[in-house]
C-alpha cells in the first residue's frame, strides 16, 4: 500500500532492496522463472518490469485503464499475463516489452489471471462470479465456471495443468478438472473471505490465505483439511509456495511477511508438515518469532501378517492415534500462537507504561 516493492534476501544479515517507481499501491508481484526479472502491477494502472539489483531499474508497461490486480509470467518466461479492474486480461511479450492482445468477456473487475504450466491456456477470476478458461492461441473463451456464490479473488493451475483451483468471497475453495469441465472438490474450511491459494509443486497440497487471519493446508489426495496455521494479526492477504516447495511465504494486512519452512516430500505423501516461521516487518528487521513448530508425527500403519480381525483392530487403533496426534499438533500450534500474542501484549504494556511515565514527567516539569 506504500507504493514500494521490497526484494528480501533469504540469507540472514542481508539488506532488503526497496524499489520506488509506482505512483500508487502495488497490488501484485512475481519473479520470472529465471529469477532475473520481477514484474509488478499497481493501482496506478501500470505494470513494471524490474531488474532485482541495487539500482532497481524498471520498464513501464501501459495499456490497462484501471488498477492492475494480478501479474504472472508464463513458465518459459517469454510472456506476461495481467488482470485489471478495467474488466480485461492482457498478454504481453517480455523481451520485446510489448502489449500483444486483450481478452475481454468479463463483465466486472478481473482479480486474477494465470497461465497453464504449458502456456496454452489462461484462467481468469472475476467479480462477475465466474472463472473463464481461454485458449491463448485462438484468444477465445473455451469455458466459464459459474459455481462460485461470490466474487472470485484468486485462481491457479495445478502443476499437472489438468485442474484449476479458485477462492472467493463466499469463503470457499473449489477445484475443477479443466479437461472435463467438472467440479472435483469443494472446501468450506474458512470462516471469512479466501484471498489467495497456492499449489505445492508435488500437486498433493493446496495452501489458502483468508480474512479469518489463518492459513490452511488442504490434503488434495484425501480431500480434507490438514493443518490450520495461525500467525497473522488480521487478514492473511496472500500466500505462495517456493518453486521447489521447501518454503512458503504469507503476507497480511498486519504489515508482516512471514516465511514458513516445510518438509513435504513428494515421494512420500504421508510425511508430516513441520514449520519454522519468521516474520519480517516493514522496517526490514528479521524477528525469529518462534522455534520449530512440530505439528506431530503420526505413526505409520503397521502391516501385520496376523488374522484379518487383528489387522482391522490395529488399523482402527492407528487411525485413532493419527487423529489424536493431529489434535495434539493443532494444540501445539495454538499454544505457540498464544505465546507470541502474550509477548506482543507485554511489549505493548511496557510501551504504554513508558508513555505514561513520560507524560507524568512532562506534567511535572510544566508544573514547576
Amino acid at each position: 500500500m506504500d507504493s514500494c516493492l521490497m526484494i528480501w534476501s533469504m540469507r540472514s544479515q542481508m539488506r532488503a532492496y526497496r524499489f520506488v517507481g509506482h505512483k500508487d499501491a502495488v497490488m501484485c508481484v512475481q519473479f520470472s522463472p529465471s529469477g532475473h526479472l520481477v514484474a509488478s502491477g499497481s493501482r496506478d494502472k501500470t505494470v513494471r518490469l524490474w531488474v532485482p539489483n541495487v539500482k532497481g531499474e524498471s520498464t513501464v508497461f501501459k495499456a490497462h485503464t484501471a488498477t492492475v490486480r494480478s501479474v504472472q509470467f508464463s513458465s518459459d518466461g517469454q510472456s506476461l499475463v495481467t488482470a485489471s479492474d478495467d474488466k480485461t486480461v492482457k498478454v504481453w511479450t517480455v523481451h520485446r516489452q510489448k502489449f500483444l492482445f486483450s481478452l475481454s468477456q468479463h463483465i466486472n473487475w478481473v482479480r486474477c489471471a494465470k497461465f497453464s504450466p504449458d502456456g496454452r491456456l489462461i484462467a481468469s477470476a472475476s467479480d462477475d462470479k465466474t472463472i473463464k478458461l481461454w485458449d491463448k492461441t485462438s484468444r477465445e473463451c473455451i469455458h466459464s465456471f459459474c459455481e462460485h456464490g461470490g466474487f472470485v479473488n484468486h485462481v491457479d493451475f495445478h502443476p499437472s495443468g489438468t485442474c484449476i483451483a479458485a477462492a472467493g468471497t463466499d469463503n470457499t475453495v473449489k477445484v475443477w478438472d479443466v479437461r472435463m469441465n467438472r467440479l472435483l472438490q469443494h472446501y468450506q474450511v474458512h470462516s471469512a473471505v479466501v484471498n489467495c491459494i497456492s499449489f505445492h509443486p508435488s500437486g498433493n497440497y493446496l495452501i489458502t490465505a483468508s480474512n479469518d487471519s489463518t492459513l490452511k493446508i488442504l490434503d488434495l489426495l484425501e480431500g480434507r483439511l490438514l493443518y490450520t496455521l495461525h500467525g497473522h494479526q488480521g487478514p492473511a492477504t496472500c500466500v505462495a509456495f517456493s518453486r521447489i516447495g521447501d518454503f512458503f511465504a504469507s503476507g497480511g494486512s498486519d504489515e508482516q511477511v512471514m516465511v514458513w519452512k516445510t518438509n513435504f516430500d513428494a515421494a512420500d505423501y504421508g510425511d508430516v508438515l513441520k514449520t519454522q516461521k519468521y516474520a519480517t516487518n516493514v522496517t526490514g528487521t528479521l524477528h525469529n518469532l518462534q522455534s520449530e513448530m512440530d505439528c506431530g508425527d503420526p505413526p505409520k500403519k503397521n502391516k501385520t501378517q496376523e488374522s484379518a480381525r487383528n489387522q482391522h483392530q490395529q488399523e482402527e487403533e492407528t487411525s485413532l492415534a493419527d487423529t489424536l496426534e493431529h489434535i495434539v499438533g493443532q494444540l501445539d500450534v495454538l499454544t505457540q500462537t498464544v505465546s507470541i500474542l502474550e509477548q506482543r501484549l507485554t511489549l505493548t504494556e511496557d510501551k504504554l507504561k513508558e508513555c505514561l511515565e513520560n507524560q507524568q514527567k512532562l506534567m511535572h516539569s510544566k508544573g514547576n
Side-chain angles (χ1 to χ4, degrees):
M1 303 309 288
D2 61 7
S3 77
C4 292
L5 196 70
M6 299 290 285
I7 306 288
W8 304 90
S9 172
M10 296 296 286
R11 287 171 293 179
S12 60
Q13 311 303 319
M14 290 290 287
R15 287 185 59 192
Y17 295 136
R18 184 183 179 90
F19 293 164
V20 180
H22 282 296
K23 303 292 188 289
D24 207 335
V26 181
M27 310 305 290
C28 49
V29 62
Q30 202 209 16
F31 274 100
S32 64
S34 67
H36 296 146
L37 293 171
V38 175
S40 61
S42 169
R43 202 181 273 167
D44 66 10
K45 307 173 190 176
T46 69
V47 174
R48 280 181 182 262
L49 211 54
W50 309 78
V51 180
N53 58 23
V54 181
K55 291 181 181 177
E57 295 166 339
S58 66
T59 308
V60 185
F61 289 22
K62 292 182 180 178
H64 284 293
T65 57
T67 297
V68 181
R69 297 267 173 192
S70 164
V71 62
Q72 194 218 13
F73 285 94
S74 57
S75 56
D76 61 5
Q78 302 294 309
S79 304
L80 205 60
V81 64
T82 56
S84 167
D85 288 1
D86 63 12
K87 306 175 190 174
T88 70
V89 173
K90 296 189 188 296
V91 177
W92 318 70
T93 173
V94 173
H95 296 298
R96 284 186 289 150
Q97 299 180 355
K98 186 180 169 187
F99 165 66
L100 292 177
F101 59 87
S102 272
L103 304 171
S104 38
Q105 284 187 31
H106 282 293
I107 56 172
N108 207 334
W109 293 358
V110 188
R111 296 274 177 178
C112 185
K114 295 287 180 75
F115 282 113
S116 60
D118 62 10
R120 292 189 299 136
L121 299 175
I122 294 169
S124 58
S126 168
D127 280 8
D128 64 11
K129 302 182 182 179
T130 71
I131 297 113
K132 291 189 184 294
L133 208 58
W134 311 81
D135 184 296
K136 183 175 177 259
T137 307
S138 68
R139 304 177 190 180
E140 291 180 355
C141 177
I142 55 177
H143 191 75
S144 290
F145 299 95
C146 307
E147 285 93 342
H148 265 285
F151 300 157
V152 191
N153 288 331
H154 199 90
V155 66
D156 201 4
F157 275 93
H158 187 274
S160 68
T162 60
C163 306
I164 57 168
T169 58
D170 60 358
N171 308 355
T172 68
V173 174
K174 293 183 171 72
V175 181
W176 288 271
D177 186 320
V178 297
R179 299 162 299 180
M180 310 286 286
N181 295 328
R182 66 187 182 93
L183 184 65
L184 295 177
Q185 293 179 330
H186 175 187
Y187 296 94
Q188 194 135 19
V189 292
H190 285 287
S191 59
V193 171
V194 187
N195 295 310
C196 189
I197 54 176
S198 179
F199 281 101
H200 187 264
S202 69
N204 294 337
Y205 309 97
L206 184 74
I207 192 164
T208 62
S210 168
N211 277 4
D212 63 14
S213 82
T214 68
L215 308 174
K216 290 184 187 281
I217 295 173
L218 304 173
D219 179 331
L220 297 175
L221 296 188
E222 291 197 1
R224 67 186 180 95
L225 173 65
L226 197 60
Y227 291 107
T228 298
L229 303 173
H230 301 264
H232 287 286
Q233 292 181 298
T237 53
C238 52
V239 67
F241 277 109
S242 60
R243 223 169 284 282
I244 61 171
D246 51 346
F247 292 97
F248 58 93
S250 61
S253 58
D254 56 1
E255 303 173 5
Q256 300 257 327
V257 173
M258 293 187 179
V259 178
W260 310 68
K261 188 177 180 182
T262 67
N263 71 345
F264 287 137
D265 183 352
D268 183 2
Y269 152 75
D271 272 4
V272 142
L273 169 74
K274 287 180 184 175
T275 59
Q276 187 172 8
K277 183 178 63 176
Y278 300 93
T280 311
N281 68 16
V282 287
T283 58
T285 315
L286 195 65
H287 299 292
N288 186 348
L289 284 188
Q290 66 187 76
S291 58
E292 192 164 76
M293 295 199 313
D294 192 341
C295 295
D297 195 356
K300 306 211 172 184
K301 291 182 178 175
N302 295 319
K303 301 278 186 186
T304 178
Q305 300 302 317
E306 295 176 10
S307 68
R309 185 178 175 183
N310 287 340
Q311 186 177 354
H312 180 68
Q313 187 179 355
Q314 281 202 342
E315 283 175 357
E316 281 186 346
E317 287 172 358
T318 306
S319 177
L320 181 62
D322 283 354
T323 306
L324 288 171
E325 285 287 349
H326 181 74
I327 292 167
V328 169
Q330 289 291 314
L331 285 171
D332 186 42
V333 173
L334 287 171
T335 305
Q336 296 280 2
T337 306
V338 169
S339 175
I340 295 165
L341 293 174
E342 283 175 348
Q343 288 171 23
R344 289 180 178 175
L345 187 62
T346 304
L347 286 170
T348 308
E349 286 172 345
D350 290 347
K351 202 75 180 170
L352 186 61
K353 187 179 176 183
E354 189 182 323
C355 288
L356 287 170
E357 285 173 355
N358 289 338
Q359 192 177 16
Q360 284 176 350
K361 285 176 185 176
L362 194 64
M363 294 286 285
H364 184 68
S365 61
K366 280 185 179 179
N368 292 338

